[in-house]
Amino acid sequence: ARTLLGALFFGLCLAYFLAKHTQELLTKPLIMMVNYVKELSTTNDYKKRLKFDQKNELGILLDGFHHLLDIVVNREAELKNHSENLQDLINQRTKELYKKSHFDSLTNLPNRALLLDRLDHAIKTAKRKQEILAILFLGLDRFKIINDTLGHDIGDQLLKKVANKA
């Protein structure tokens, strides 16, 4: 009976020692890794790395996870750069569209749409301030004859010259 109790006690001590050792080797590193992943998911700080000196399967797993994080950080930087480039392109295209929709392509003078918008604004401002508003209209007499007889290229040159004087 004593031998059986001694063997049982020895077996329990050995099981406790093995469980404690297993916890040290597996459970604590796994808990550290789980807490690390939770922290990453809340802070989005993908540059942070967990220090872990084990060269077993858990160390390999953590190295793989760090490699994955490096890929995420690089991809995030690429996406940010791409987003900034797209925003610059959008801003440039918006300016181009504004210019095309509000200015004459030949003379670079404001077109009818911009004229009407500015005129409407000027009328409202003059009414609000109770001021007088004057408008000057400039026309080219017999311009159609110039286009028909000398050609559209000459007519375009004339329009550009007049626009530069205006």
Side-chain angles (χ1 to χ4, degrees):
R2 275 183 164 191
T3 309
L4 187 63
L5 280 175
L8 185 61
F9 179 72
F10 178 74
L12 284 173
C13 288
L14 183 62
Y16 175 78
F17 173 75
L18 288 174
K20 184 98 169 132
H21 185 66
T22 302
Q23 182 183 10
E24 290 289 323
L25 286 176
L26 293 176
T27 309
K28 282 186 178 179
L30 284 174
I31 290 172
M32 284 174 53
M33 289 173 72
V34 167
N35 290 334
Y36 173 58
V37 170
K38 283 180 183 177
E39 183 181 343
L40 286 176
S41 68
T42 57
T43 63
N44 294 331
D45 181 11
Y46 302 119
K47 293 180 182 178
K48 184 175 182 181
R49 298 293 181 261
L50 185 64
K51 301 277 191 258
F52 200 64
D53 292 332
Q54 291 189 4
K55 297 298 177 199
N56 57 14
E57 289 83 4
L58 290 174
I60 293 169
L61 177 66
L62 187 63
D63 288 343
F65 188 71
H66 285 160
H67 177 70
L68 182 63
L69 286 176
D70 290 339
I71 292 170
V72 168
V73 167
N74 290 337
R75 186 67 179 143
E76 191 176 56
E78 288 173 6
L79 288 173
K80 182 179 179 190
N81 186 37
H82 188 64
S83 174
E84 289 170 355
N85 289 342
L86 283 175
Q87 189 60 50
D88 290 344
L89 185 61
I90 288 169
N91 293 342
Q92 178 185 352
R93 294 289 192 256
T94 302
K95 288 177 185 176
E96 289 171 6
L97 284 174
Y98 179 84
K99 185 172 181 177
K100 285 183 178 183
S101 66
H102 290 90
F103 291 88
D104 180 72
S105 60
L106 180 67
T107 63
N108 279 331
L109 290 175
N111 64 14
R112 180 179 289 126
L114 187 56
L115 170 70
L116 293 175
D117 179 62
R118 299 274 170 87
L119 187 58
D120 182 57
H121 179 72
I123 290 169
K124 288 177 181 174
T125 302
K127 281 182 181 179
R128 189 177 62 248
K129 293 183 176 182
Q130 296 181 344
E131 295 177 343
I132 297 174
L133 176 66
I135 299 172
L136 174 65
F137 179 78
L138 178 64
L140 294 176
D141 289 340
R142 294 180 240 148
F143 180 73
K144 184 177 179 341
I145 296 171
I146 293 171
N147 258 352
D148 290 344
T149 58
L150 301 176
H152 290 277
D153 289 338
I154 300 295
D156 288 351
Q157 288 178 20
L158 176 63
L159 287 174
K160 288 179 186 177
K161 294 275 186 189
V162 171
N164 285 336
K165 300 289 181 182

